[in-house]
């Protein structure tokens, strides 16, 4: 019986790896030949006969950074409150229930809400900021949940030791608890970035599908104004553009965009490994006499 269960576990692991390699291999087989410098640095234009994703790439980075700028402080702060300050009671149960419900809502419903509330009521229309605010609602439960798990995984001895030495609670959280929970928090942020980059349904309703690059001039003062106005303009991400290309039957371009998205996911995972690996090395070095 034990041998059968062991074989089943190994089989499930091998199947997962096989499926991942199969999907990645097929996407790269179909789309790798479309990857080029022109594909990454030009904008699609019927008049010029070009097929590029530069505008979508910039929009993806812009929406991701804007979303994280709002979601990370809110999510981490909410998790700190729930785990370190809020005692058992109705308010804590209400926040946890709201977080669970938000995590289970389909993305298209978020898109409809963003279109009506952020777009019509607040007057943002189809814009990058509308998409970022909508995505903030989507990834907030993910960041809060992973941050909460990371905080709970820190031994209580860390808290008691710092408080016993006379440290204030917020000082203990800032200097002891958060650094110890950093790998788990970074994992939650990475998962949030993955959802942001891969989201299309909600952004079709909120951010639109514009492909234009911001008109940067090379002058810092002017460019800051251009980027600020960009937040109030429509902007289609890579995932939205992939959907539109598939809808038009441009499968080669769509698979090329798929290759770029996979490469972005691999780079994010590599960055996380480097950050958490460096943190582990620093801690190990600090413990050595």
């Amino acid at each position: 019986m034990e041998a059968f269960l062991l074989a089943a576990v190994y089989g499930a692991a091998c199947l997962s790896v096989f499926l991942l390699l199969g999907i990645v291999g097929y996407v790269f087989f179909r789309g790798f030949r479309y990857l080029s410098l022109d594909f990454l640095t030009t904008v699609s234009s019927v008049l010029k006969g070009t097929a590029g994703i530069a505008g979508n790439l910039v929009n993806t980075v812009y929406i991701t950074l804007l979303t994280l700028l709002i979601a990370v402080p809110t999510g981490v702060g909410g998790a700190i409150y729930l785990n370190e300050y809020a005692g058992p009671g109705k308010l804590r149960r209400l926040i946890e229930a709201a977080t669970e419900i938000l995590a289970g809502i389909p993305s298209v419903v978020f898109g409809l809400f963003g279109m009506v509330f952020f777009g019509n009521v607040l007057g943002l229309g189809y814009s990058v900021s509308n998409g970022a605010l909508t995505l903030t609602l989507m990834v907030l439960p993910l960041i809060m949940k992973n941050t909460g798990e990371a905080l709970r995984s820190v031994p209580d001895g860390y808290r008691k030791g710092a408080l016993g030495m006379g440290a204030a609670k917020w000082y203990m959280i800032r200097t002891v608890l958060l650094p110890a929970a950093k790998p788990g928090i970074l994992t939650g942020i990475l998962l949030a970035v993955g959802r942001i980059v891969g989201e299309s349904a909600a952004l079709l309703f909120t951010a639109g599908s514009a492909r234009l690059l911001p008109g940067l001039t090379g002058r810092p003062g002017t460019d800051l104004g251009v980027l600020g106005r960009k937040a109030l303009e429509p902007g289609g991400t890579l995932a939205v553009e992939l959907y539109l290309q598939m809808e038009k039957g441009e499968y080669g371009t769509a698979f090329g965009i798929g290759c770029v998205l996979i490469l972005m996911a691999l780079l994010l995972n590599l960055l996380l490994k480097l950050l958490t690996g460096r943190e582990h090395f620093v801690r190990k070095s600090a413990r050595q006499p």
Side-chain angles (χ1 to χ4, degrees), residues 84-279:
E84 304 302 322
Y85 288 99
K90 292 182 179 180
L91 180 59
R92 177 170 183 168
R93 291 196 298 269
L94 179 62
I95 296 174
E96 291 176 344
T99 304
E100 294 294 333
I101 293 172
L102 277 176
I105 295 176
S107 60
V108 68
V109 176
F110 281 107
L112 290 172
F113 173 81
M115 180 180 67
V116 173
F117 183 73
F118 297 127
N120 297 335
V121 177
L122 299 185
L124 294 177
Y126 286 99
S127 64
V128 170
S129 55
N130 187 350
L133 289 171
T134 304
L135 288 175
T136 298
L137 298 178
M138 295 176 61
V139 302
L140 194 58
L142 191 61
I143 296 176
M144 285 186 65
K145 206 167 187 178
N146 281 274
T147 302
E149 292 291 338
L151 292 174
R152 285 190 291 272
S153 68
V154 178
D156 285 335
Y158 285 35
R159 298 173 175 84
K160 295 177 180 178
L163 295 174
M165 294 177 64
K169 189 166 187 178
W170 171 242
Y171 185 82
M172 178 273 295
I173 292 172
R174 182 169 54 88
T175 60
V176 177
L177 202 58
L178 288 178
K182 184 178 178 181
I185 297 174
L186 289 175
T187 301
I189 295 174
L190 175 65
L191 293 174
V193 171
R195 183 165 188 185
I196 294 168
V197 172
E199 183 56 46
S200 60
L203 293 177
L204 280 171
F205 290 100
T206 56
S209 58
R211 308 182 179 99
L212 298 178
L213 283 166
L216 300 179
T217 61
R219 296 189 294 271
T222 305
D223 290 343
L224 285 176
V226 171
L227 292 175
R229 290 191 296 272
K230 177 67 176 174
L232 300 176
E233 298 174 355
T237 61
L238 289 171
V240 171
E241 185 65 17
L242 188 152
Y243 167 78
L244 295 176
Q245 293 296 331
M246 289 291 290
E247 192 176 43
K248 293 188 297 184
E250 299 290 340
Y251 299 115
T253 304
F255 276 106
I257 297 172
C259 291
V260 175
L261 289 172
I262 290 175
L263 289 173
M264 290 176 66
L266 292 175
L267 288 175
L268 286 171
N269 278 277
L270 179 61
L271 179 62
L272 177 65
K273 294 292 185 183
L274 290 175
L275 290 174
T276 55
R278 181 178 179 275
E279 185 74 17

Side-chain angles (χ1 to χ4, degrees), residues 57-78:
L57 192 58
V58 171
N59 291 333
T60 301
V61 175
Y62 200 151
I63 287 181
T64 301
L65 293 177
L66 196 57
T67 303
L68 293 179
L69 188 64
I70 305 170
V72 171
T74 307
V76 174

